Amino acid sequence: EPEVTQTPSHQVTQMGQEVILRCVPISNHLYFYWYRQILGQKVEFLVSFYNNEISEKSEIFDDQFSVERPDGSNFTLKIRSTKLEDSAMYFCASRARLADTGELFFGEGSRLTVL
Amino acid sequence: GENVGLHLPTLSVQEGDNSIINCAYSNSASDYFIWYKQESGKGPQFIIDIRSNMDKRQGQRVTVLLNKTVKHLSLQIAATQPGDSAVYFCAENTSGYSTLTFGKGTMLLVSP
């Protein structure tokens, strides 16, 4: 069964360092997302991406964040200068069509710990 | 703003019981709703969805009920099993926007 894969599963970094989280969405999917979940809290939307550009973003997704689809398979989230409050689980998700609203397939997540 | 922290609402049931998990959604313009299950250390997993033109939808052992008047969504799990233990989130969406907005989550604990 096709799945969304994310790397790394866990990254520990120092405050102020740059971090890149990587995702490989399901191959025929067109819409890509990043969500984050602070420990014990709800899943929060960060950004959606379609046709090589950001389609929506939340207030959380400030200038420190960026996304990129550098090739035909990878979808990355970059945090330029990490802060303590960026510590969270980051989930990548994808779906085939906008109409498939519910069938958002999530990866297993990348846990980011900022010290 | 909201801060659930570690204090997730928790529902504890015995194996074989029926479980009902509730969710209040926020946006009256939302017209599509989804329930997700999240097991420890994993990403959310789609369970069942419902559109606003319906008030009930059934799946395998699960039923979703939608009350648009009071903006309330519920998930019923029949004959709950230990494998159902997880955190359950409702999510809402508005047509034309791809973003899903997640609710706070409820932890379901099933005892054998």
Side-chain angles (χ1 to χ4, degrees), chain B residues 22-38:
Chain B
N22 297 303
C23 174
Y25 63 92
S26 56
N27 188 350
S28 57
S30 294
D31 56 6
Y32 187 74
F33 306 89
I34 310 99
W35 279 100
Y36 281 88
K37 173 185 181 183
Q38 186 179 26

Side-chain angles (χ1 to χ4, degrees), chain B residues 51-68:
Chain B
R51 295 199 176 275
S52 59
N53 61 351
M54 303 171 68
D55 53 21
K56 180 179 180 179
R57 189 161 187 230
Q58 287 184 291
Q60 187 177 14
R61 279 203 308 120
V62 294
T63 301
V64 55
L65 299 177
L66 174 63
N67 185 330
K68 295 182 289 294

Side-chain angles (χ1 to χ4, degrees), chain A residues 35 37 40-42 56 95 102, chain B residues 2 5 36 38 46 98-99 103:
Chain A
Y35 284 80
Q37 185 178 33
Q41 297 189 22
K42 64 180 180 179
E56 293 175 68
R95 68 175 173 219
Chain B
E2 297 171 322
Y36 281 88
Q38 186 179 26
F46 174 89
S98 64
T99 306

